[in-house]
Amino acid sequence: GTGLAMLELTQKILAPVVVGDTVWATVTVDGIRPTSRNGRAVVDSTIEVFNQRNERVMTYTARRLLAGR
């Protein structure tokens, strides 16, 4: 969906990232709660960021207001 608002963000930095590193992430949707306004929902997700050695360098949880179908 289209992001409308970042409602909450909790971030934990676990290791440094330096110039030349390659990073990638996984996103897990933990919950979806429709709002009273049609076509919108509050979505909770957990994001884990890894470097090229598959070491987790950052995690964060996000609560966003999204517009969808």
Side-chain angles (χ1 to χ4, degrees), residues 30-67:
D30 301 314
I32 301 172
R33 191 182 77 234
T35 65
S36 59
R37 195 155 177 195
N38 198 21
R40 294 184 180 192
V42 174
V43 178
D44 292 320
S45 57
T46 301
I47 298 87
E48 294 182 300
V49 182
F50 299 87
N51 64 15
Q52 68 275 9
R53 293 177 298 281
N54 292 326
E55 299 166 334
R56 191 168 45 180
V57 295
M58 180 175 66
T59 61
Y60 64 97
T61 58
R63 176 168 288 159
R64 298 177 178 96
L65 176 63
L66 301 179

